Amino acid sequence: MGLLISLLITILVIGLVLYLVRMLPMDAQIKNIVQIIVIIIGIISLLRYLAVF
C-alpha cells in the first residue's frame, strides 16, 4: 500500500511541476527543455520506487 501511495504522490508532483512550468513566462524552447528534464527525473523516480534501480 505504501508503494502505491508513493507512486501516486510522485505522479501528482510531476503533473503539478509540469503545469507550473507551462505557466512560466519563458521562451518556448527553454520551456520544452525544462519539461523534458522534469519528465526524465520523474521517470527515474518512478523506476526507483518500483525497485528497478
Side-chain angles (χ1 to χ4, degrees):
M1 189 67 170
L3 176 68
L4 184 62
I5 292 172
S6 297
L7 290 173
L8 182 63
I9 290 173
T10 304
I11 291 171
L12 288 174
V13 168
I14 292 169
L16 178 66
V17 171
L18 287 173
Y19 172 75
L20 291 175
V21 166
R22 275 188 252 129
M23 299 302 286
L24 290 174
M26 290 191 296
D27 186 38
Q29 188 174 14
I30 296 173
K31 202 179 291 190
N32 286 339
I33 292 170
V34 173
Q35 287 177 347
I36 290 170
I37 291 171
V38 168
I39 290 171
I40 290 171
I41 291 172
I43 290 171
I44 291 171
S45 174
L46 288 172
L47 290 174
R48 191 185 72 204
Y49 283 127
L50 294 173
V52 175
F53 289 125

